[in-house]
Structure formats: structure tokens, C-alpha cells
Amino acid sequence: SPPPSPPRYAPKMTATQVPENVCETCRGQPFIRYRAPDINSPEFAQFLLTFVGYFDQRRQYFATQVAAIDVEIAAVNPRHKQKISQLRAKRAKFVGQATENSEQMVKLLKTLVTQREPAKSPVIEEALYILVLELDTLARIPERDDIQQRLAQDYPTSSYRLHLDLLAAHDALARNQLTAARALYDK
């Protein structure tokens, strides 16, 4: 099995993550305390990035649950078919929830990067980077390539582009494409 991918490099989104117990009386609705700023406000981009961080935390939770169920399925005796089918159903539910949260992230990120004056916001560069990663996860390759081209065009010296190259090299290495991986690592 391939080694795990390097972690995401998202310092601005990590800084905006909402603690789990931000509101004692709003269980299940952690953003009930927040008032949405005007779409033309400079705080709007940061507000959307906070929501992206929330959905990212949820996506990571469900991905962790999927990994735990995979381990549990591997440990179950193959003759216990009913237990395996129950675990697979549970796994499918978690995969669906992780995908749903990724879709929510993509919607919010697209809103963020297509607002009228995105160049003024300091979080757009990171939003483009996260959008590329999520579109790749969802296997929406043409959209991913367009956003990656925009990132390269708008931010030619971005450290996020370097991290995307590192992830691409890692994926090429995992698929045993050694020449492509070496070229990306050399880059």
C-alpha cells in the first residue's frame, strides 16, 4: 500500500477553525452565534473560510471513521458475512457523508474565489489551493485543472503551488510512475 499523503498546508483555514464547544446552547449548529457580514465586506472571505474549515473538520472525521471500519472489516473472520455486510453498509454511509462535506466545501470555495473583488482578500490563494485538492478528491479533473491554472497564473511564486507539486509527485510515486515522480520532485 502507498504511504500516506503529506498533510494539507492550510494555515489560514486552520487559524479560523471553530472550537467544538463554541456555543453551549446551539448543539449541532455551531455557527448560530455568527452573523454573516455583507458580501462586499472585507470580512466576508474570512467568514466563508471559517465555514470551509468546519466542513473540512467534518470531512476528516468521516474519513477517519471509514479508515477505522476498513481496519475492522479486515479483522473480521471472512465466514461472518452478516457482520461484514453491516460494516460495509456503515462504511458506505460514512463515505457518502465525507463526499457530501467535500461538495459543501467546493460550493463555498467557488463562491469565495468568484466573488467580485477576490484579489483584495488575503485568503484567496489558500482557497484556490484547497479547491484544487477537493476537486481532485472528488475526481472532477477538468475543473481542478482550470483552478490549478488560475492559481499558477494569479500567484506565480505561491508556496501552495509547490505543495501541489509535492502531492502530485507523491501520487505518481504511489502509482509507480517513477519518471514522472522524479521530475516533479526535482521541480
Side-chain angles (χ1 to χ4, degrees), residues 13 16-17 48-58 105:
M13 186 177 73
T16 65
Q17 288 182 347
L48 281 182
L49 197 63
T50 303
F51 274 103
V52 169
Y54 170 71
F55 285 113
D56 188 43
Q57 285 176 331
R58 289 177 51 94
M105 286 177 65

Side-chain angles (χ1 to χ4, degrees), residues 93-112:
K93 177 182 150 193
F94 286 140
V95 167
Q97 289 173 322
T99 303
E100 182 182 319
N101 283 292
S102 286
E103 290 287 347
Q104 288 294 331
M105 286 177 65
V106 167
K107 285 179 190 175
L108 289 170
L109 288 165
K110 281 186 175 183
T111 302
L112 183 61

Side-chain angles (χ1 to χ4, degrees), residues 45 66 97 114 152:
V66 167
Q97 289 173 322
T114 58

Side-chain angles (χ1 to χ4, degrees), residues 110-152:
K110 281 186 175 183
T111 302
L112 183 61
V113 300
T114 58
Q115 63 182 347
R116 283 191 306 204
E117 306 232 0
K120 292 183 179 179
S121 175
V123 299
I124 296 301
E125 183 180 4
E126 186 169 310
L128 288 169
Y129 162 75
I130 296 168
L131 184 56
V132 167
L133 294 178
E134 286 306 310
L135 289 172
D136 188 50
T137 301
L138 295 171
R140 292 162 61 177
I141 305 304
E143 287 180 79
R144 180 205 65 191
D145 292 342
D146 290 342
I147 299 297
Q148 199 163 7
Q149 184 178 14
R150 179 177 168 195
L151 179 65

Side-chain angles (χ1 to χ4, degrees), residues 168-184:
H170 181 81
D171 288 343
L173 189 61
R175 288 189 311 259
N176 207 17
Q177 298 172 345
L178 302 178
T179 307
R182 182 178 183 109
L184 286 165

Side-chain angles (χ1 to χ4, degrees), residues 5-119:
S5 294
R8 284 185 177 174
Y9 175 64
K12 291 180 178 106
M13 186 177 73
T14 305
T16 65
Q17 288 182 347
V18 179
E20 287 183 31
N21 296 326
V22 72
C23 180
E24 304 288 323
T25 61
C26 52
R27 293 186 188 127
Q29 299 176 358
F31 294 105
I32 204 165
R33 289 182 46 191
Y34 292 96
R35 246 185 56 217
D38 182 48
I39 194 165
N40 297 321
S41 169
E43 293 91 31
F44 185 72
Q46 197 68 34
F47 179 75
L48 281 182
L49 197 63
T50 303
F51 274 103
V52 169
Y54 170 71
F55 285 113
D56 188 43
Q57 285 176 331
R58 289 177 51 94
R59 181 197 56 79
Q60 288 174 7
Y61 169 78
F62 291 123
T64 303
Q65 294 301 316
V66 167
I69 289 175
D70 285 343
V71 169
E72 196 173 340
I73 288 173
V76 171
N77 188 336
R79 288 183 271 182
H80 296 119
K81 296 188 186 303
Q82 184 177 5
K83 176 72 172 172
I84 291 174
S85 67
Q86 289 173 348
L87 289 172
R88 286 188 178 151
K90 194 174 181 182
R91 182 188 187 281
K93 177 182 150 193
F94 286 140
V95 167
Q97 289 173 322
T99 303
E100 182 182 319
N101 283 292
S102 286
E103 290 287 347
Q104 288 294 331
M105 286 177 65
V106 167
K107 285 179 190 175
L108 289 170
L109 288 165
K110 281 186 175 183
T111 302
L112 183 61
V113 300
T114 58
Q115 63 182 347
R116 283 191 306 204
E117 306 232 0

